[in-house]
Amino acid sequence: TANMDHLHTPSASSHSVASSCAEEVEEKRAEVQRSHKEKRRQCQRNFLHQEKELKEKYLDAAFTQAEKVMVKSQASQLKSLENLHKQEADDVMKRIENEKTDDISENANITGISKEDLQRERRIRLVKRGVTERNKLQELYEGRRLELELAQEKIRQELHGELDRRR
C-alpha cells in the first residue's frame, strides 16, 4: 500500500506538467478566440463593403432612370412652351390681319387716294405692326424659356446633390 500511496499523491513534477498543460490549453483557447474575433471582424467588413457596393449600384441605376425621366419631361416642357409661342404669334398675326378693312374704302373716298395706294399703305402698316408684335412675343418667349431652363437646371443640380448626399 505504500507503493500505492505514491501513485495517488501528486509529485512536484506531475503538478508542473499539469500546470503546463493547463497553460497551453489556455493559450490555445485565447489564440482561437482572437482568430475567431478577427475572422468575424473581417466578415463584417466584407458584408459592409458588399452592402455599400450594392446600394451604390442600385442608387446609380435609380438616379440614372430619374435623370432620364427628368430630361424627357424638361424637353416636353420646352416643346410645349415653343408650341404656345407659335400659337400666340399666329393668333396675333390673324388678329392684325382681320382688323377693319373698312378704313380702306372710307379713306379712299375722303382723301382721293387710289384704293391700291391705300391697300399698299395698309399692308406696310400691318407688316410693321406684325414685326413689332412678333418681336415682343419673341422677347417674352425668350424670357419664359430662360426662366424655365434655369428652373430645370436647379432641379438637375438638386438631383445630383441628392445622389452625392446618398453616396
Side-chain angles (χ1 to χ4, degrees):
T1 62
N3 284 341
M4 298 290 257
D5 286 339
H6 174 57
L7 291 175
H8 290 295
T9 58
S11 67
S13 67
S14 67
H15 189 63
S16 71
V17 170
S19 164
S20 173
C21 278
E23 287 175 5
E24 285 179 23
V25 167
E26 186 59 33
E27 285 178 22
K28 193 70 164 170
R29 188 184 67 75
E31 184 181 322
V32 167
Q33 279 184 334
R34 280 192 303 273
S35 174
H36 177 72
K37 284 181 182 179
E38 182 57 35
K39 286 180 181 178
R40 187 174 180 183
R41 272 189 246 125
Q42 185 62 38
C43 285
Q44 287 173 340
R45 281 192 294 264
N46 287 343
F47 174 77
L48 292 174
H49 179 72
Q50 289 173 349
E51 182 181 36
K52 183 180 177 185
E53 284 180 349
L54 191 60
K55 281 182 179 179
E56 284 180 6
K57 175 184 171 185
Y58 286 107
L59 186 67
D60 286 342
F63 274 86
T64 299
Q65 191 62 32
E67 190 168 21
K68 284 181 183 179
V69 169
M70 179 186 66
V71 166
K72 203 175 217 182
S73 173
Q74 290 175 344
S76 175
Q77 290 172 347
L78 288 170
K79 187 67 177 170
S80 294
L81 182 63
E82 183 181 343
N83 289 339
L84 178 63
H85 168 66
K86 287 179 181 178
Q87 181 182 5
E88 287 176 345
D90 289 345
D91 289 348
V92 166
M93 296 310 287
K94 285 178 186 174
R95 184 175 43 83
I96 290 172
E97 210 171 285
N98 290 332
E99 286 182 349
K100 293 182 182 178
T101 56
D102 296 336
D103 62 339
I104 296 174
S105 57
E106 288 176 13
N107 288 338
N109 292 337
I110 296 173
T111 60
I113 301 174
S114 71
K115 191 173 184 180
E116 291 80 25
D117 289 340
L118 286 175
Q119 285 177 340
R120 186 176 43 239
E121 284 181 30
R122 181 177 181 271
R123 278 194 302 269
I124 291 171
R125 272 195 332 266
L126 288 177
V127 167
K128 284 181 181 178
R129 187 160 176 220
V131 168
T132 303
E133 291 293 324
R134 275 192 90 84
N135 286 340
K136 286 179 184 177
L137 283 174
Q138 186 65 30
E139 287 176 17
L140 186 62
Y141 166 73
E142 291 296 327
R144 287 177 181 168
R145 187 175 57 84
L146 179 64
E147 187 177 308
L148 182 59
E149 287 174 346
L150 289 174
Q152 290 174 346
E153 181 60 30
K154 181 181 176 188
I155 291 171
R156 206 173 291 119
Q157 294 299 324
E158 288 175 359
L159 181 68
H160 289 290
E162 182 66 20
L163 175 62
D164 290 343
R165 186 183 67 77
R166 290 192 182 189
R167 283 187 175 164

